[in-house]
C-alpha cells in the first residue's frame, strides 16, 4: 500500500500541528490556506498545560520560549494609569504564561520546523467535498482535484468547509455578546513589560501588551457587543469612537493608532460547539470544532494538543479511521469542555455597566488578588491541564 494522504484545510496553529504530526507519522500531507502567503502578526497566545509537553515532544519548547513577548506580568489600572491590583504570574501557567508569544510567532515556529515533505498551497480554498468508503475527494476554488484518506478541517471559527460537511444540528454557535478589536500600535516610552488592563463603565475595556518587535499590542473590548465585522473599516472605527467617547487613560491613543494600523482585526466572540467532530474520513481540529474564545482561553494550547492526539490515535488504530477519530474525540473533549463552560455571571463581572458595578468589580479584584485568595485565582488560568497521560506516538522521542 502506498503512502496515505491527509489534506489539511487551514494553516492555523491546529492545522500546522496536524501537518507536523501526520507527516511524522509517514503520511503525505497537503495544507491548503486561504491567505496568499504565510500570516505573521496577531495578538498574544500562550502554551499551557499538556500542550507544553506536546511542544517538547515536537522539539520546539526552547524555540517557542525564545519568541517570548517580554511580558512579565498582568496588572489592572485605573483611569490615571495607577495599578489597582496584580494578577498572579507565578509558575509556567500564570496570568502571563512562561510561553507567552504572539500568534504569528508561534505559528511561524511550527511552520519553519515542519518535517520535510509537507506540501503547502496558499491562496486556495476547498470548494467541494465528496466522501466515499475509500476516502474524500476535494475540488478547490482554483480547480485542483485531490483524493485523500483523511480531510482535517482547521479553518477557524467561521469555517466554510465545516459548514458544508456538517449539518446545522451538529454545529451550534453562541454569540457571547462581546466585541474585541485588535491592532498593533507604536510603542511609547511610557509602555512597560506588563499587560496593562483598564476597565471602565458601560462594559468597556482597554488592554496594552508588550511584544518583542518594538511595538505594543492593543485591544479594545466591550459588552454588550456590536457586530462590527459586517461594517467597512471606516464605519467600524467611527462606531468604535462613539462607543469609547469620554473614556480616558489610553483610549484616545489607541483609537488614533487604529486608524492606520495595518493589522486591525475585529472579532465578535462566538463559541462553537459540535455534537460530533467527525464524519467518516473528515474531522475538525482547533477553533473550527470548539472555538473557546479569549473569554475561555487556552485556544492555542488546545490547537497544538489536537494535532498530536489525532496523529497518535491514527497510529494506535491502523486501518480503522472510525476507531481512531472516536478515540481522538474521547481524549480531547474533556479538555475542551472544561474551558468552554464559562463561570456563571463572568461577562457581567468582566464588563460592569455602572459606576456601582465598577466599584464592586475593583473590590473583587483586590480580594481575588489578596494573599489568602491568590492560590485560588491562579487556578483560573490553568487551562488544557489534565492528569491523563498523552497517547503514545511511535517516534515521539525522536
Amino acid at each position: 500500500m502506498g503512502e496515505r494522504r491527509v489534506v489539511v484545510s487551514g494553516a492555523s496553529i491546529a492545522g500546522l500541528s496536524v501537518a507536523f504530526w501526520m507527516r511524522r507519522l509517514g503520511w503525505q500531507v497537503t495544507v491548503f490556506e486561504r491567505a496568499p502567503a504565510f500570516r505573521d502578526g496577531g495578538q498574544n497566545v500562550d502554551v499551557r498545560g499538556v500542550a507544553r509537553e506536546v511542544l517538547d515532544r515536537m522539539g520546539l519548547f526552547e524555540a517557542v520560549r525564545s519568541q517570548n513577548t517580554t511580558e512579565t506580568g498582568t496588572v489592572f489600572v485605573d483611569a490615571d494609569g495607577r495599578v489597582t491590583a496584580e494578577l498572579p504570574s507565578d509558575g509556567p501557567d500564570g496570568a502571563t504564561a512562561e510561553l507567552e508569544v504572539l500568534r504569528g510567532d508561534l505559528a511561524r515556529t511550527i511552520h519553519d520546523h515542519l518535517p520535510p515533505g509537507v506540501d503547502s498551497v496558499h491562496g486556495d480554498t476547498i470548494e467541494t467535498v465528496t466522501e466515499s468508503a475509500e476516502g474524500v475527494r476535494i475540488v478547490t476554488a482554483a480547480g485542483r482535484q485531490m483524493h485523500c484518506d483523511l480531510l482535517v478541517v482547521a479553518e477557524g471559527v467561521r469555517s466554510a468547509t465545516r459548514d458544508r460537511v456538517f449539518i446545522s444540528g451538529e454545529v451550534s454557535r453562541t454569540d457571547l455578546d462581546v466585541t474585541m478589536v485588535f491592532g498593533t500600535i507604536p510603542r511609547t516610552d511610557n509602555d512597560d513589560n506588563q499587560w496593562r488592563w483598564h476597565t471602565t463603565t458601560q462594559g468597556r475595556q482597554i488592554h496594552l501588551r508588550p511584544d518583542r518587535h518594538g511595538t505594543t499590542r492593543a485591544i479594545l473590548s466591550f459588552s454588550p457587543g456590536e457586530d462590527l465585522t459586517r461594517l467597512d473599516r471606516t464605519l467600524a472605527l467611527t462606531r468604535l469612537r462613539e462607543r469609547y467617547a469620554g473614556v480616558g487613560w489610553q483610549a484616545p491613543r489607541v483609537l488614533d493608532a487604529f486608524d492606520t494600523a495595518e493589522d486591525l482585526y475585529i472579532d465578535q466572540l462566538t463559541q462553537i460547539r459540535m455534537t460530533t467532530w467527525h464524519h467518516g474520513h473528515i474531522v475538525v481540529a482547533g477553533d473550527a470544532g470548539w472555538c473557546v474564545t479569549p473569554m475561555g482561553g487556552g485556544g492555542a494550547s488546545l490547537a497544538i494538543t489536537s494535532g498530536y492526539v489525532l496523529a497518535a490515535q491514527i497510529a494506535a488504530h491502523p486501518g480503522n479511521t472510525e476507531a481512531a477519530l472516536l478515540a481522538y474525540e474521547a481524549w480531547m473533549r474533556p479538555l475542551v469542555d472544561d474551558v468552554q463552560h464559562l463561570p456563571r455571571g463572568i461577562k457581567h463581572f468582566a464588563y460592569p455597566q455602572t459606576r456601582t458595578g465598577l466599584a464592586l468589580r475593583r473590590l473583587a479584584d483586590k480580594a481575588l488578588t489578596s494573599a489568602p485568595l491568590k492560590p485560588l485565582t491562579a487556578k483560573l488560568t490553568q487551562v488544557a491541564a489534565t492528569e491523563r497521560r498523552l497517547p503514545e506516538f511511535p517516534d515521539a522521542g525522536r
Side-chain angles (χ1 to χ4, degrees):
M1 180 183 295
E3 280 188 319
R4 304 183 74 190
R5 177 181 294 278
V6 57
V7 167
V8 182
S9 185
S12 60
I13 292 172
L16 292 171
S17 179
V18 170
F20 181 98
W21 288 107
M22 292 299 291
R23 184 58 188 160
R24 182 74 71 84
L25 198 59
W27 284 46
Q28 293 182 353
V29 180
T30 302
V31 180
F32 285 97
E33 167 56 41
R34 175 187 299 274
F38 180 84
R39 292 181 300 143
D40 283 302
Q43 294 287 319
N44 289 54
V45 297
D46 42 47
V47 183
R48 300 174 181 270
V50 71
R52 291 166 54 88
E53 184 178 348
V54 173
L55 203 62
D56 189 53
R57 294 187 181 194
M58 297 170 89
L60 298 181
F61 192 94
E62 292 302 326
V64 170
R65 184 157 62 177
S66 71
Q67 303 292 317
N68 188 280
T69 62
T70 74
E71 187 175 289
T72 58
T74 306
V75 295
F76 297 124
V77 299
D78 63 18
D80 296 316
R82 293 187 296 259
V83 175
T84 59
E86 181 171 1
L87 289 175
S89 291
D90 302 330
D93 289 337
T96 291
E98 177 187 13
L99 299 180
E100 191 83 36
V101 296
L102 296 179
R103 187 213 65 81
D105 290 344
L106 175 58
R108 171 67 72 179
T109 301
I110 300 173
H111 177 273
D112 289 352
H113 290 84
L114 290 174
V118 174
D119 183 20
S120 295
V121 180
H122 284 88
D124 200 2
T125 57
I126 294 175
E127 285 290 305
T128 63
V129 178
T130 306
E131 192 173 12
S132 67
E134 290 74 33
V136 181
R137 184 171 184 80
I138 66 164
V139 180
T140 73
R144 293 180 174 89
Q145 300 185 35
M146 185 175 295
H147 179 275
C148 60
D149 300 281
L150 182 67
L151 170 61
V152 181
V153 182
E155 298 170 349
V157 59
R158 293 171 180 84
S159 169
T161 305
R162 174 202 62 211
D163 292 344
R164 289 191 190 99
V165 172
F166 294 85
I167 62 176
S168 60
E170 295 172 329
V171 183
S172 67
R173 299 163 180 82
T174 302
D175 185 340
L176 297 185
D177 199 22
V178 175
T179 303
M180 301 188 81
V181 185
F182 306 85
T184 302
I185 67 175
R187 186 176 176 87
T188 70
D189 292 339
N190 292 326
D191 291 337
D192 59 18
N193 287 335
Q194 291 181 307
W195 174 1
R196 293 189 171 267
W197 180 336
H198 175 59
T199 299
T200 187
T201 56
Q202 298 178 39
R204 296 168 293 184
Q205 297 179 357
I206 306 167
H207 303 256
L208 295 180
R209 308 187 72 172
D211 64 29
R212 58 186 296 273
H213 302 291
T215 49
T216 294
R217 308 287 158 147
I219 307 170
L220 297 180
S221 179
F222 56 90
S223 181
E226 178 182 0
D227 191 357
L228 304 179
T229 62
R230 302 178 185 275
L231 307 180
D232 65 47
R233 178 178 175 130
T234 299
L235 182 55
L237 288 174
T238 298
R239 295 282 182 84
L240 197 62
R241 284 186 176 276
E242 293 170 353
R243 191 65 177 253
Y244 277 78
V247 176
W249 192 51
Q250 300 284 336
R253 169 196 172 190
V254 173
L255 289 165
D256 288 345
F258 276 3
D259 284 341
T260 56
E262 295 181 355
D263 63 345
L264 191 75
Y265 176 71
I266 302 173
D267 191 18
Q268 185 70 14
L269 299 195
T270 303
Q271 280 193 334
I272 297 293
R273 289 182 172 85
M274 298 183 65
T275 57
T276 180
W277 292 341
H278 75 281
H279 273 172
H281 298 267
I282 305 170
V283 65
V284 294
D287 284 353
W290 57 73
C291 182
V292 296
T293 78
M295 288 283 286
S301 298
L302 294 172
I304 290 171
T305 304
S306 68
Y308 174 90
V309 173
L310 176 61
Q313 298 295 11
I314 288 173
H317 300 84
N320 191 336
T321 302
E322 175 68 15
L325 299 185
L326 283 171
Y328 156 73
E329 187 164 340
W331 203 95
M332 286 295 302
R333 268 203 187 269
L335 290 182
V336 172
D337 290 346
D338 181 58
V339 178
Q340 282 197 321
H341 288 120
L342 300 176
R344 184 180 297 274
I346 184 63
K347 189 185 73 171
H348 299 293
F349 174 77
Y351 295 92
Q353 301 297 313
T354 64
R355 291 185 181 276
T356 300
L358 181 60
L360 292 172
R361 159 69 191 271
R362 289 177 175 165
L363 287 173
D365 288 342
K366 290 181 179 179
L368 290 170
T369 56
S370 64
L373 294 181
K374 186 177 178 180
L376 176 63
T377 303
K379 291 183 179 180
L380 298 177
T381 60
Q382 295 177 8
V383 298
T386 178
E387 295 182 356
R388 294 172 296 152
R389 292 173 59 89
L390 281 167
E392 293 300 321
F393 192 86
D395 69 342
R398 183 166 57 180

